[in-house]
Amino acid sequence: MDQRFEGTPRAEVRREGQRLIRGEVANDWGSQLVWSIRRNGEVVATVPARAEEVIEFPDATPGSYEAVLRLFHYEGYEKDKDGKYTKSKFVDVSNPVVWTV
Amino acid sequence: MLHLGHERVPVCGDVTRRSFLQAGAATMTGAAALSLPAVLSLEAAGAVEASKQEIRNCITIFLVGSPGQVDTWDMKPDAPAEIRGKFKPIATNVNGIQICEHFPLMARMMDKVALIRSLHHNTGATHENGQRWMMTGHDFNADSMKPHSGSVLSRVFGNRGMLPASVVLPEKIGNTGAGPLHGQSAAYLGSSHEPFFLQSDPSRADFKVSDLTPPAGQTEFRINARKELLKQIDNVQRKVETNSELGRDTAYARAFNLLTSPEAKTAFDLTKEDDRTRNRYGRNTLGQSCLMARRLIERGSRYVTVNHFETVFNISCWDMHADGGSLNNTYADYEQLLCPQFDWAFTALIEDLEQRGLLKETVVCVLSEFGRTPGLNPRGGRDHHPGVWTNFMVGGPIRGGQVIGSSDKTGARPQNQPILPPQILASIYHAMGIDLETTMMPGPGSRPIRLVEAEPISQLFS
């Protein structure tokens, strides 16, 4: 049988100073969990989130920032000729945290 | 003095052989795909007394497809790029031991883990060869099949309570490319020691154990009515039929008991766990199977095998050929799915067992068929390589925080202390409390044989 991820994972995140803090992930699929951090809409950092519930993000480059927790959603092993998944993908599982530098 | 299971049998003279044959004959039935009643019928036929000595349990997580040693637990950061691959090593909580960056939680409990980095076998590089070696301690053909280690444990220790001694979750291994002999049957030990195969995904919302779920429309009253009818028929049969039929009789009774037993139903019912625990294991097939394994061990099963995948085709699994077709697993699968999923589930299991006081009496083994080629293939994958690989053990009397054996500088061959699969099986049996010198089992032709022709790896226990 192939795996089928069911349910909807959900976590709460917040920012305190330079720290990004996440809570436990409800309905956790157990796949790769990352912080995705954007500045002015562009991804500037993807940081592993599984092992730590708190990360430091001290980047002081001016701009509008958004951080969100993302979890890999497996829907099949298929990939295109460049090795990118065609069905499986990361999905947002938290509220976004926004701030401006 | 020998033990057949836990029956002491003198080793010399006619009495020995007669006793052996009597004990062994009851289990000399053919192995077959079995329903739960059939499993139970033959369990009863071959049951041995529960031991009074210290018996430990075993949970084996079998990584079907096999992770590459260089990408996981035996990294070679100083090797050329085409060997060392994409991932980086990280430190663990044991000085000098590094593992892959995608096992950050396991790295924090390396003091509990004994890595064996010089495991190898010298037969063909098929999945099935590796499965037979690692599940039975033997290589064999169809005419000389050997029993799964869970079946051996079932034969040696017998049952505790209502649950099968040996359970395979979530499914038995299916098509891995080169034939049907995966080493997951009881073979000549007989169907009474066949593992109970769940054959269902415990992570699914609609999960039910088919053997434990009454057919639609059948209430417990109807089941009990059928049980009573069967009992009456069996009473007639009992007067005229043989002891083996009595075993069948008992088995049907036990199957009915399982159908209606709160204990058995509870063991398989993951909704009894709180959401936080289920999340901690991971809401996926591996995670929920590991959680079920803990529940089964806690409630009486001796040996639970968790197959991380039942095939290597058309799914994301450890068989990282990157072939662009049905075996198109790549670093992406390792990084985004397989390593995180394993890290999350494995560490949850160890933590949970420890918190419940079960880790000291449960050996947890992570096994696979072989390693993968040290050099990346032209597509960026790695192919089969039985020349060397890494497996590991935790719990029971295993001394963690150590590395046994080593591979050469490219992860191609053992460099120190080469270890063969039978030594792993011998170590598992020893760790579970079996004296390999005095505990024998019936072999083909009813002659007593050792459980496995190897000695335990002494370093694991020192």
Side-chain angles (χ1 to χ4, degrees):
Chain A
M1 70 185 77
D2 202 356
Q3 299 194 66
R4 191 171 75 201
F5 288 178
E6 297 179 331
T8 305
R10 195 67 194 161
E12 294 295 322
V13 300
R14 67 184 192 277
R15 181 168 177 264
E16 291 180 2
Q18 294 183 338
R19 300 194 311 163
L20 291 169
I21 303 165
R22 70 169 177 88
E24 291 182 2
V25 179
N27 201 54
D28 191 339
W29 294 323
S31 50
Q32 190 175 29
L33 182 69
V34 296
W35 288 98
S36 179
I37 302 169
R38 293 173 182 267
R39 182 175 60 233
N40 301 328
E42 297 292 321
V43 175
V44 292
T46 302
V47 183
R50 179 61 74 184
E52 306 291 347
E53 294 191 352
V54 180
I55 63 165
E56 297 281 338
F57 188 73
D59 193 338
T61 306
S64 297
Y65 286 81
E66 179 183 288
V68 67
L69 210 52
R70 310 193 84 203
L71 188 60
F72 183 70
H73 185 211
Y74 177 73
E75 291 190 78
Y77 80 107
E78 295 89 344
K79 300 172 190 72
D80 63 20
K81 60 181 174 53
D82 298 322
K84 305 279 188 194
Y85 283 105
T86 55
K87 295 177 182 171
S88 302
K89 58 185 182 295
F90 280 92
V91 295
D92 294 355
V93 295
S94 77
N95 56 300
V97 173
V98 295
W99 71 98
T100 301
V101 175
Chain B
M1 193 74 78
L2 290 175
H3 291 75
L4 289 174
H6 289 276
E7 180 182 345
R8 286 177 174 273
V9 181
V11 293
C12 301
D14 289 340
V15 173
T16 300
R17 184 164 175 76
R18 277 200 302 274
S19 301
F20 182 83
L21 291 173
Q22 283 169 359
T27 66
M28 291 301 157
T29 53
L34 294 172
S35 65
L36 183 59
V39 169
L40 293 175
S41 83
L42 294 155
E43 269 178 356
V48 292
E49 286 183 35
S51 173
K52 292 177 182 171
Q53 73 184 75
E54 185 179 10
I55 298 174
R56 298 184 190 91
N57 312 299
C58 182
I59 297 172
T60 292
I61 302 173
F62 201 93
L63 305 180
V64 176
S66 292
Q69 67 280 9
V70 173
D71 296 316
T72 53
W73 299 290
D74 189 13
M75 305 198 80
K76 305 293 180 185
D78 298 327
E82 65 274 18
I83 290 172
R84 70 172 181 263
K86 178 182 174 184
F87 298 154
K88 295 180 172 54
I90 55 171
T92 69
N93 69 348
V94 177
N95 283 340
I97 300 180
Q98 295 183 321
I99 60 174
C100 170
E101 61 185 317
H102 296 299
F103 301 119
L105 299 168
M106 182 179 168
R108 293 176 182 173
M109 57 170 64
M110 191 52 61
D111 58 318
K112 303 183 196 312
V113 178
L115 292 173
I116 302 163
R117 282 182 171 162
S118 54
L119 188 52
H120 70 291
H121 73 71
N122 300 313
T123 49
T126 66
H127 292 286
E128 292 76 9
N129 271 345
Q131 290 155 9
R132 292 193 289 268
W133 275 122
M134 299 307 295
M135 297 217 184
T136 73
H138 303 268
D139 191 26
F140 56 84
N141 297 313
D143 59 354
S144 61
M145 289 170 59
K146 302 294 190 297
H148 181 247
S149 45
S151 299
V152 171
L153 268 297
S154 169
R155 179 65 180 82
V156 170
F157 289 145
N159 280 58
R160 278 187 301 180
M162 294 297 301
L163 291 170
S166 173
V167 180
V168 173
L169 306 174
E171 285 188 294
K172 68 173 77 173
I173 296 175
N175 179 17
T176 50
L181 303 180
H182 306 286
Q184 287 204 297
S185 83
Y188 53 75
L189 288 181
S191 301
S192 58
H193 300 293
E194 200 72 11
F196 173 66
F197 298 102
L198 183 67
Q199 300 300 102
S200 190
D201 183 349
S203 74
R204 301 233 171 138
D206 59 355
F207 163 74
K208 287 184 176 62
V209 183
S210 56
D211 275 320
L212 298 181
T213 305
Q218 289 203 20
T219 63
E220 190 170 320
F221 173 80
R222 288 191 62 191
I223 291 168
N224 283 329
R226 292 183 63 178
K227 179 181 179 182
E228 187 58 33
L229 178 61
L230 184 68
K231 186 177 172 185
Q232 290 172 22
I233 294 168
D234 285 344
N235 281 340
V236 175
Q237 287 180 323
R238 188 176 293 119
K239 296 176 182 175
V240 294
E241 294 182 343
T242 64
N243 283 343
S244 63
E245 290 297 320
L246 284 174
R248 176 186 171 84
D249 197 18
T250 305
Y252 272 98
R254 288 194 58 198
F256 277 118
N257 287 342
L258 255 183
L259 273 169
T260 55
S261 159
E263 181 190 344
K265 283 185 173 177
T266 297
F268 288 97
D269 187 357
L270 295 183
T271 65
K272 303 290 185 190
E273 299 286 338
D274 62 44
D275 280 345
R276 194 173 182 201
T277 301
R278 296 191 70 176
N279 290 335
R280 177 60 190 89
Y281 277 83
R283 299 277 189 159
N284 58 64
T285 311
L286 174 69
Q288 299 303 293
S289 295
C290 287
L291 175 56
M292 185 173 283
R294 188 268 288 160
R295 290 180 64 81
L296 292 168
I297 289 292
E298 204 169 29
R299 288 163 175 79
S301 290
R302 298 282 191 198
Y303 197 105
V304 181
T305 303
V306 176
N307 289 327
H308 195 196
F309 308 113
E310 50 84 32
T311 182
V312 294
F313 298 109
N314 300 307
I315 62 169
S316 181
C317 76
W318 297 101
D319 201 19
M320 195 185 85
H321 291 287
D323 78 342
S326 64
L327 296 167
N328 198 22
N329 290 295
T330 67
Y331 274 111
D333 297 86
Y334 274 45
E335 180 175 353
Q336 289 158 20
L337 184 68
L338 302 172
C339 294
Q341 190 173 74
F342 175 83
D343 194 43
W344 194 234
F346 171 75
T347 56
L349 176 64
I350 301 303
E351 285 175 9
D352 199 7
L353 288 170
E354 186 163 47
Q355 285 166 10
R356 291 165 184 269
L358 289 168
L359 189 58
K360 62 181 181 300
E361 60 189 64
T362 305
V363 183
V364 180
C365 306
V366 176
L367 307 178
S368 58
E369 302 115 330
F370 39 57
R372 307 203 73 84
T373 46
L376 293 166
N377 67 30
R379 303 171 302 275
R382 298 187 195 268
D383 302 314
H384 302 176
H385 182 74
V388 76
W389 77 97
T390 301
N391 283 168
F392 45 96
M393 298 172 73
V394 184
I398 301 296
R399 181 169 68 82
Q402 62 170 329
V403 175
I404 295 173
S406 65
S407 65
D408 61 17
K409 63 183 179 182
T410 62
R413 302 284 169 212
Q415 184 169 56
N416 292 308
Q417 200 179 345
I419 301 288
L420 287 164
Q423 294 172 267
I424 301 294
L425 274 290
S427 300
I428 293 172
Y429 295 144
H430 179 76
M432 292 184 71
I434 296 174
D435 183 344
L436 290 168
E437 299 305 317
T438 60
T439 304
M440 310 291 273
M441 65 178 178
S446 299
R447 62 188 170 82
I449 59 171
R450 277 176 65 98
L451 305 190
V452 63
E453 292 298 332
E455 298 297 328
I457 303 164
S458 59
Q459 273 175 266
L460 284 167
F461 309 99
S462 58

